Amino acid sequence: MTTPFDTPDWRKMSQEERDLGLNNGVAVAGSADIVAGWERLSLEMRARYPDHLDLRYGPRERNRIDFLKAREKGPTLVFIHGGYWQTRAKETFALFAGGPMAHGINVALIGYTLAPDATLDEIVAEIHAGVDFLIERLPGLGGDASRIVVSGWSAGGHLTSMALSHPQVKAGMAISGIYDLEPIRHSYLNAKLGLDEAISRRNSPVMQAGGMKKPLSLVAGSAELPLLRKQTADLAGHRAKFGLPVTYEEIPGADHFTIMNEIASPAGRITTLIRQLVERI
């Protein structure tokens, strides 16, 4: 659980270097085409499971959940999409339900209001409200409300770590997430997020004294931007320091986008880690 040796100190980087060091779209050639492929395949997945789409859990437009049922009374993976809290939508990520569903794990894809229309505090609160909704509705939908694991990619990885504090969430699977918001606060990304130091600190898991004593699996790609690999390594080290259950690994050769192949596939490494978490709860 060591920090990647090639990671620069973001505080010593120029503004341009820091911005590029956090920009996955620029770093990964063809990323727009990859996401377009996700959208196409997700449209097909949603068409195969039309029964419980856009379930409203709150008053705002994006306060909706897609529930894809794999097995009656099965456990549920709540998946939170990424996009630096300010882009993308749950509809783009339905294809990634395929890996867990192949093993009888139901998947609930949760939408949330994007910045700047919501603050980060409000976004975190929306995720908790979505879990509250699921607890109430899962028995009627055919799921087991006592077996909920949360997962997410990129900004969704951050929201996964924040969702661990919900009393009904039993474990987390965070993919290529952000766990220290200070570099974000000092980058181009803050134009819409509007983070100040207080918001940044209370929403940064690595700045908290300890954390939730629930299993958390952390993954990043070995080909990801160094600043982002460091985020995952630092949270793993933080949790280990406080004796909190954690696993950490890098997916060899994966970048910020191709790492998602490991949850789309029933045999993918992230799918396997999710199965292991489900077996523990």
Side-chain angles (χ1 to χ4, degrees), residues 59-103:
R60 306 190 76 172
E61 176 58 29
R62 284 174 169 257
N63 293 164
R64 300 173 187 267
I65 291 172
D66 294 340
F67 181 74
L68 280 57
K69 183 177 176 180
R71 178 163 60 94
E72 184 70 23
K73 297 183 179 179
T76 296
L77 180 76
V78 177
F79 187 85
I80 311 169
H81 73 81
Y84 274 136
W85 308 273
Q86 55 196 274
T87 64
R88 310 204 193 285
K90 66 176 173 59
E91 288 81 3
T92 301
F93 293 81
L95 82 147
F96 300 114
M101 290 181 73
H103 300 282

Side-chain angles (χ1 to χ4, degrees), residues 43-254:
L43 189 64
E44 296 173 2
M45 177 68 86
R46 295 179 89 239
R48 288 199 293 274
Y49 296 92
D51 292 343
H52 306 296
L53 301 180
D54 292 317
L55 305 175
R56 181 171 287 283
Y57 71 85
R60 306 190 76 172
E61 176 58 29
R62 284 174 169 257
N63 293 164
R64 300 173 187 267
I65 291 172
D66 294 340
F67 181 74
L68 280 57
K69 183 177 176 180
R71 178 163 60 94
E72 184 70 23
K73 297 183 179 179
T76 296
L77 180 76
V78 177
F79 187 85
I80 311 169
H81 73 81
Y84 274 136
W85 308 273
Q86 55 196 274
T87 64
R88 310 204 193 285
K90 66 176 173 59
E91 288 81 3
T92 301
F93 293 81
L95 82 147
F96 300 114
M101 290 181 73
H103 300 282
I105 301 169
N106 302 319
V107 177
L109 299 115
I110 186 167
Y112 54 90
T113 307
L114 303 179
D117 293 331
T119 66
L120 192 55
D121 288 329
E122 290 170 338
I123 291 170
V124 170
E126 286 187 355
I127 299 301
H128 280 251
V131 175
D132 287 339
F133 170 88
L134 282 170
I135 297 303
E136 180 179 338
R137 292 289 301 274
L138 272 174
L141 293 169
D144 183 349
S146 69
R147 302 180 72 200
I148 293 178
V149 174
V150 175
S151 182
W153 167 76
S154 199
H158 165 266
L159 294 171
T160 293
S161 68
M162 300 300 288
L164 279 183
S165 64
H166 192 289
Q168 296 297 330
V169 169
K170 298 298 177 26
M173 173 75 249
I175 307 163
S176 304
I178 303 290
Y179 312 107
D180 177 1
L181 294 171
E182 281 297 277
I184 304 298
R185 185 166 74 91
H186 292 278
S187 78
Y188 75 103
L189 295 162
N190 206 39
K192 288 186 177 180
L193 286 169
L195 301 174
D196 60 23
E197 185 175 1
I199 295 173
S200 172
R201 287 187 172 276
R202 67 174 167 261
N203 288 287
S204 293
V206 297
M207 295 186 183
Q208 310 310 313
M212 300 307 298
K213 199 166 187 177
K214 301 174 182 179
L216 178 64
S217 289
L218 299 167
V219 297
S222 70
E224 294 206 55
L225 288 164
L227 285 179
L228 297 181
R229 290 167 57 212
K230 182 179 189 300
Q231 290 270 347
T232 299
D234 284 354
L235 181 58
H238 174 84
R239 288 185 64 84
K241 172 185 173 182
F242 286 95
L244 303 172
V246 65
T247 66
Y248 162 62
E249 61 186 79
E250 291 191 352
I251 306 297

Side-chain angles (χ1 to χ4, degrees), residues 6-64:
D6 58 346
T7 302
D9 183 345
W10 66 267
R11 297 172 186 81
K12 297 179 181 178
M13 301 170 76
S14 69
Q15 185 69 58
E16 181 180 10
E17 289 171 336
R18 188 158 54 245
D19 288 348
L20 284 173
L22 295 167
N23 194 323
N24 294 296
V26 170
V28 179
S31 59
D33 292 334
I34 292 172
V35 175
W38 293 357
E39 292 172 344
R40 183 178 64 256
L41 293 171
S42 290
L43 189 64
E44 296 173 2
M45 177 68 86
R46 295 179 89 239
R48 288 199 293 274
Y49 296 92
D51 292 343
H52 306 296
L53 301 180
D54 292 317
L55 305 175
R56 181 171 287 283
Y57 71 85
R60 306 190 76 172
E61 176 58 29
R62 284 174 169 257
N63 293 164
R64 300 173 187 267

